[in-house]
Amino acid sequence: MKVAPFWRKALLTTHIVTAVGWLGADVVLLALGIAGLAGADPGVVYPAAGLIVTALFAPLAVLVWVVGVLDALVSPWRLFRYRWVMVKLIVTTVMLGLVLFLLLPNLRALGELGAATTGRDRLDLVIPPAVSTSLLVAMTVLSTYKPWGRISRPAGNRASRAAGSPTPGARSGPAGTRTETAVRAPTG
Ligand code: HEM
């Protein structure tokens, strides 16, 4: 998919802004969770956390997934060409599922329990955001260091390229990417 550099940079900017926004919302949830555990008014903490999850965290999770996939498809990195991109795709997909099917219902239940929440209930707003914040920081590090190189091509593709006929749709490495020097195997 060929996209003008202006639009690719616009997409990358959107990707970075949404991803960092997601991380920010996650840290706010963690702060609320810790406040709840420390005895802050559950009538304030859990409705506020519910609002952040519904209005920010869950929509941003969907947006990061969609924009991340689009960004990968229009960039020379592609979706299944480099290990760091694939790892991000897998982790983000799992996180998105957990946010939509576990965190959202859990927080709704916590909001309804209000002052009746037990210490164990309150951990539901500490452990998941602590894990997801760590994962998002790890993915930010992956994005900037871009480790582990390229996923090797199937033998047939290697042979055809060696013979001088590039795989249909294949492009040379992530040329034009401002971070290409950070990648160990950017060619072919
Ligand atoms: C579906 C999941 C994701 C995919 C497929 C994906 C894919 C990509 C790709 C291909 C790039 C390079 C784009 C380019 O040069 O045009 C990129 C950059 C970046 N991604 Fe993601 N990403 C995903 C999720 C995330 C998440 C969850 C974070 C962090 C919370 C993140 C943070 C970043 C950052 C900071 C960059 C900029 C790196 C740089 O330009 O040096 N991404 N991502």
Side-chain angles (χ1 to χ4, degrees):
M1 214 185 297
K2 194 118 177 103
V3 172
F6 176 87
W7 292 112
R8 202 167 83 71
K9 282 185 182 163
L11 201 60
L12 177 60
T13 307
T14 311
H15 179 53
I16 296 172
V17 169
T18 50
V20 174
W22 192 20
L23 176 57
D26 206 356
V27 173
V28 172
L29 281 180
L30 181 59
L32 281 172
I34 292 171
L37 204 62
D41 183 356
V44 174
V45 168
Y46 299 109
L51 180 68
I52 287 168
V53 169
T54 316
L56 271 178
F57 194 70
L60 279 170
V62 176
L63 217 59
V64 168
W65 193 94
V66 172
V67 177
V69 167
L70 277 179
D71 195 4
L73 289 175
V74 303
S75 77
W77 298 105
R78 299 299 174 87
L79 207 47
F80 301 109
R81 192 178 275 183
Y82 288 88
R83 289 187 183 86
W84 68 272
V85 179
M86 252 185 75
V87 169
K88 278 172 55 170
L89 174 65
I90 293 166
V91 174
T92 309
T93 306
V94 171
M95 282 181 69
L96 178 60
L98 291 175
V99 168
L100 297 182
F101 301 112
L102 217 69
L103 191 65
L104 263 180
N106 267 357
L107 266 180
R108 279 203 191 110
L110 272 180
E112 279 161 22
L113 280 173
T117 48
T118 63
R120 205 183 171 289
D121 294 328
R122 290 172 193 208
L123 279 178
D124 280 352
L125 191 58
V126 176
I127 294 169
V131 172
S132 54
T133 297
S134 312
L135 285 174
L136 289 178
V137 170
M139 283 198 284
T140 308
V141 172
L142 273 190
S143 309
T144 47
Y145 284 86
K146 302 177 171 62
W148 309 321
R150 198 178 160 139
I151 297 162
S152 54
R153 286 185 216 91
N157 283 0
R158 272 201 301 271
S160 66
R161 277 185 70 81
S165 56
T167 315
R171 291 164 58 170
S172 57
T177 317
R178 62 199 164 79
T179 44
E180 67 193 281
T181 47
V183 177
R184 255 182 248 135
T187 51

